[in-house]
């Protein structure tokens, strides 16, 4: 999947549009922007919206394999980025290349969570929940079906596993989780524009998976940490 950044963008824009004054451009008198208290609900909303987008994309493309699947998902990511870049006329929804700002930070019991340590806590909680959910899926019948498909798709189909349906479920869940973290990204940055979701973002995520080992939760976590550290070191050396 070379279009992972597209689902990330869908989640980010889902929150940013309604948690900023941008919503007033196409929903006049709607009481926008929404306060940071809505952040928690939008985590779920973005999960559902991005998952649905992933489901719609997966319907036609998951019957493809290899390079063909990679090319189609890459093209989809570029289409989403260009769509957000051009959704500023005739109705200004995304503010086009100018981006959306300021985006409301999350709030909890009246406290505005706008410091790095606050976001660290939010991400840590979401991280733990994600690992628990994915691990439970991995140990379920669904997870065993995914492993069977990964090892030998033809044998899995012969054993009665609905290959396309299982792939579609995996694709949908992955897209939903990306959208959920897109909400966190938008709230943390307080500004997003289409250049935040380029092809390179998908490549970085893919590198994390390849470096850590596909299908290995602990390995992917270590791979993600390694890629982030390498990026920070490169930026430090450049500066």
């Amino acid at each position: 999947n070379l279009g992972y950044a597209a689902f990330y963008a869908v989640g980010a824009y889902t929150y940013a549009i309604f948690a900023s004054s941008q919503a007033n451009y196409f929903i006049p008198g709607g009481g926008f922007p929404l306060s940071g208290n809505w952040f928690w609900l939008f985590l779920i909303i973005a999960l559902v919206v991005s998952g649905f987008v992933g489901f719609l994309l997966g319907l036609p493309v998951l019957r493809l394999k290899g390079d063909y699947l990679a090319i189609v998902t890459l093209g989809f990511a570029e289409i989403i980025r260009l769509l957000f870049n051009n959704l500023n006329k005739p109705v200004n929804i995304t503010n086009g290349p100018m981006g959306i700002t300021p985006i409301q930070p999350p709030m909890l019991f009246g406290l505005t969570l706008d410091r790095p340590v606050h976001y660290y806590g939010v991400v840590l909680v979401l991280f733990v929940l994600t690992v628990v959910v994915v691990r439970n899926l991995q140990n379920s019948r669904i997870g065993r079906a995914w492993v069977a498909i990964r090892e030998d798709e033809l044998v899995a189909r012969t054993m009665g596993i609905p290959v396309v349906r299982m792939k579609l479920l995996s694709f949908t869940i992955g897209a939903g989780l990306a959208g959920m973290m897109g909400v966190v990204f938008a709230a943390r940055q307080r500004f997003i524009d289409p250049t935040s979701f380029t092809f390179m973002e998908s490549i970085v995520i893919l590198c994390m998976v390849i470096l850590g080992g596909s299908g290995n939760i602990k390995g992917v976590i270590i791979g993600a940490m390694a890629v982030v550290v390498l990026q920070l070191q490169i930026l430090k050396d450049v500066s």
Side-chain angles (χ1 to χ4, degrees):
N1 183 3
L2 295 182
Y4 205 68
F7 310 116
Y8 193 51
V10 169
Y13 271 95
T14 298
Y15 178 67
I17 289 172
F18 294 99
S20 70
S21 57
Q22 187 63 34
N24 291 321
Y25 286 103
F26 67 101
I27 311 178
F32 295 100
L34 298 175
S35 71
N37 291 315
W38 287 82
F39 170 85
W40 313 103
L41 178 60
F42 267 87
L43 289 175
I44 300 174
I45 293 174
L47 179 75
V48 174
V49 172
S50 298
F52 182 67
V53 173
F55 174 80
L56 292 180
L57 172 65
L59 283 175
V61 308
L62 285 182
R63 299 180 186 276
L64 303 175
K65 298 179 182 179
D67 297 340
Y68 300 102
L69 177 61
I71 292 170
V72 171
T73 54
L74 170 61
F76 172 75
E78 286 300 298
I79 290 171
I80 289 292
R81 187 181 65 81
L82 293 173
L83 179 65
F84 287 138
N85 192 67
N86 292 289
L87 274 180
N88 60 340
K89 52 187 177 181
V91 179
N92 188 4
I93 298 177
T94 64
N95 205 28
M98 300 299 292
I100 300 176
T101 190
I103 301 168
Q104 297 294 319
M107 296 181 66
L108 184 64
F109 302 122
L111 174 66
T112 301
L113 308 180
D114 57 356
R115 298 174 59 187
V117 66
H118 295 153
Y119 287 101
Y120 177 82
V122 171
V123 171
L124 184 61
V125 170
L126 293 175
F127 166 73
V128 171
L129 289 174
T130 301
V131 170
V132 170
V133 170
V134 172
R135 185 175 293 278
N136 286 333
L137 280 172
Q138 188 180 44
N139 296 327
S140 68
R141 292 181 61 185
I142 294 174
R144 291 192 291 272
W146 285 338
V147 172
I149 294 170
R150 183 186 67 199
E151 296 300 325
D152 194 318
E153 185 174 321
L154 179 60
V155 172
R157 183 177 284 107
T158 303
M159 295 299 294
I161 295 175
V163 172
V164 174
R165 192 184 307 168
M166 288 295 103
K167 283 185 176 182
L168 188 58
L169 179 60
S170 173
F171 205 75
T172 301
I173 292 173
L177 293 174
M180 182 177 67
M181 293 313 299
V183 174
V184 179
F185 174 78
R188 173 67 179 88
Q189 295 297 110
R190 305 290 302 275
F191 166 79
I192 60 169
D193 71 338
T195 61
S196 303
F197 312 101
T198 61
F199 169 63
M200 286 308 300
E201 299 300 322
S202 296
I203 291 298
V204 168
I205 295 171
L206 187 62
C207 287
M208 294 175 180
V209 176
I210 293 174
L211 185 62
S214 178
N216 186 340
I217 296 176
K218 292 180 180 178
V220 171
I221 294 171
I222 295 172
M225 293 173 62
V227 170
V228 170
V229 170
L230 286 172
Q231 284 183 311
L232 292 175
Q233 186 62 42
I234 292 172
L235 290 173
K236 182 179 178 181
D237 293 341
V238 171
S239 62

